[in-house]
Amino acid sequence: MEFKEIDRKILTYINHNRNPSISKIAKSLKISRDQVDYRIKKYISEGFIKKFITFFNYSAFGYNYFAPMFLKFEKLSQAEIFFKKLEKHKNIISYGRCLAKYDIYLNTIFKNENEFSEFLSEILSDSGIILSDYVIMKPYVSEFYPLKFINLHEAEEMEFLPTLENPIKKFDEKDIKIMKMLDNNGWEKITNIAHGIKSSPELVIYKIKRLEKEKVILGSRVHFDFINIGYSPTVLLVNIPHLSDANTNKLKKFVKQSPRINNFLLSFSKPNCAIQVFHKNENELREEIKKLQELFKDEIISVDILPLEEELKMPEMLPFLK
């Protein structure tokens, strides 16, 4: 898809403003409602926008163990068996295929390490599924950045793993229904939500603002189909043995300034860093890796390159509320 200036403006606005109305977008950008409405419908119909995602603070629900995983099966056919087990699992945010060193990736969320250990034991004890290798990351930093390659510069990065002073919140039935609807569609209309919870739009607006103020709702992002617009996603699993404060700051500066990186995390486990890169071709990916290696030329670092393929589950940010 060719991006015109009007597309860049609309995408920037909707990517960093939760659930704005067509009228509000048009007024802010000084363009007509018809232009905004037509282009957003086009983005969705052509598959450029796959979903509007709402990010939530997991600690507010008592879930404090976010664990991205990469799995390698003894036989690739075992992955299909595994996928069926994941379809309705309450701890799976998203999953998909990857190439090279591992077969699939998973983004998972658990209440604590014990719950995660039970999940891992279930995987390893299944006689039909034999893992030959796996990586489990234990992130303490996870940040999302604006998509600079389509000029989405205006918003700051969003932290995915914040903590709360009073971690577990109490939610009433309407709160839960509102959050489930926003999880399904972060751009759901207020009137539709009001109808869904059998209440007034004013109450819905009040409740959403309260959830945002209490940092239960962290923000929203547009989930783009990058492959559809000519970009390939690749994860770099990086291990930096001496991840000092100085090296951490260097790394954060690098990922924030890169035009091709939109997400990275730091982990207590090895590898201690994961970087997601979107690139048009192999040369662009090589360029990012060379910059990273040059940045840590005085360190002994390792980099595993994992091209991502099809996403088999759209991100479901609150799977435990099914």
Side-chain angles (χ1 to χ4, degrees):
M1 179 175 179
E2 181 182 353
F3 293 108
K4 297 180 180 179
E5 187 60 27
I6 188 174
D7 296 311
R8 299 182 194 281
K9 288 181 178 180
I10 292 173
L11 290 170
T12 296
Y13 196 92
I14 66 176
N15 195 52
H16 304 305
N17 291 275
R18 200 199 64 75
N19 202 9
S21 66
I22 298 296
S23 296
K24 187 174 182 179
I25 299 170
K27 183 178 180 180
S28 298
L29 301 181
K30 295 180 172 58
I31 56 181
S32 71
R33 291 185 77 263
D34 288 343
Q35 282 181 299
V36 175
D37 188 50
Y38 167 76
R39 289 183 176 275
I40 290 178
K41 287 178 179 177
K42 183 180 180 182
Y43 304 149
I44 297 171
S45 66
E46 293 186 357
F48 173 55
I49 290 178
K50 299 177 74 173
K51 185 177 181 180
F52 296 95
I53 297 177
T54 303
F55 286 85
F56 299 90
N57 192 335
Y58 289 125
S59 62
F61 304 89
Y63 283 76
N64 296 291
Y65 201 91
F66 174 59
M69 304 172 65
F70 298 88
L71 309 180
K72 179 71 175 179
F73 297 95
E74 187 177 73
K75 298 178 182 178
L76 189 57
S77 59
Q78 294 172 352
E80 303 303 324
I81 301 172
F82 187 68
F83 287 142
K84 291 181 179 179
K85 296 180 64 175
L86 297 179
E87 287 177 357
K88 296 183 179 180
H89 204 289
K90 71 180 182 70
N91 299 102
I92 308 299
I93 298 171
S94 63
Y95 60 86
R97 301 180 190 276
C98 54
L99 300 174
K101 191 172 183 179
Y102 301 99
D103 297 321
I104 73 169
Y105 67 87
L106 301 169
N107 288 307
T108 64
I109 185 69
F110 300 88
K111 288 182 177 179
N112 48 48
E113 190 168 1
N114 286 339
E115 189 176 63
F116 171 74
S117 296
E118 291 175 5
F119 171 79
L120 190 60
S121 296
E122 179 187 341
I123 294 175
L124 298 177
S125 64
D126 192 322
S127 59
I129 300 172
I130 301 175
L131 296 178
S132 58
D133 195 9
Y134 61 89
V135 161
I136 301 165
M137 306 198 78
K138 300 178 180 180
Y140 58 92
V141 170
S142 181
E143 296 180 348
F144 286 82
Y145 301 106
L147 300 168
K148 296 181 280 292
F149 57 78
I150 51 174
N151 283 0
L152 299 187
H153 294 287
E154 296 181 7
E156 297 179 354
E157 64 271 13
M158 181 174 65
E159 187 180 358
F160 184 51
L161 298 174
T163 57
L164 294 173
E165 293 181 4
N166 300 307
I168 300 178
K169 299 288 186 180
K170 292 183 179 180
F171 305 113
D172 62 29
E173 185 179 349
K174 292 186 186 298
D175 291 329
I176 296 296
K177 285 184 178 180
I178 288 172
M179 288 187 285
K180 288 173 74 171
M181 291 183 75
L182 289 177
D183 187 22
N184 184 58
N185 177 12
W187 235 40
E188 189 64 82
K189 293 181 179 179
I190 295 297
T191 52
N192 290 346
I193 298 175
H195 179 75
I197 69 169
K198 299 179 180 179
S199 189
S200 68
E202 290 77 16
L203 180 64
V204 172
I205 293 171
Y206 167 77
K207 283 183 168 292
I208 290 176
K209 286 184 176 179
R210 179 178 58 81
L211 291 169
E212 291 174 335
K213 183 178 180 180
E214 293 180 355
K215 296 184 179 180
V216 176
I217 294 178
L218 300 175
S220 62
R221 286 291 187 270
V222 179
H223 188 53
F224 297 102
D225 186 343
F226 294 102
I227 295 176
N228 191 30
I229 57 173
Y231 286 85
S232 299
T234 296
V235 169
L236 305 178
L237 293 182
V238 185
N239 195 67
I240 306 169
H242 305 292
L243 197 55
S244 61
D245 288 343
N247 281 342
T248 298
N249 290 334
K250 281 200 305 183
L251 184 59
K252 284 188 174 184
K253 184 177 180 180
F254 165 71
V255 297
K256 288 179 182 180
Q257 292 180 345
S258 170
R260 304 183 182 104
I261 294 171
N262 94 313
N263 172 234
F264 105 112
L265 61 82
L266 297 177
S267 173
F268 289 116
S269 57
K270 182 180 178 181
N272 54 12
C273 176
I275 299 172
Q276 184 163 276
V277 182
F278 291 97
H279 50 96
K280 285 186 176 180
N281 50 52
E282 185 179 336
N283 286 337
E284 288 189 348
L285 178 61
R286 286 174 177 269
E287 188 177 316
E288 294 300 315
I289 296 172
K290 286 179 181 178
K291 288 179 182 177
L292 182 63
Q293 291 175 330
E294 178 63 22
L295 186 66
F296 293 100
K297 61 183 178 181
D298 295 325
E299 304 280 348
I300 302 174
I301 71 170
S302 62
V303 181
D304 284 330
I305 303 169
L306 301 181
L308 303 186
E309 282 206 304
E310 59 183 310
E311 188 174 48
L312 298 177
K313 179 187 177 183
M314 292 290 290
E316 187 177 6
M317 308 307 288
L318 297 175
F320 45 80
L321 291 184
K322 287 181 179 178

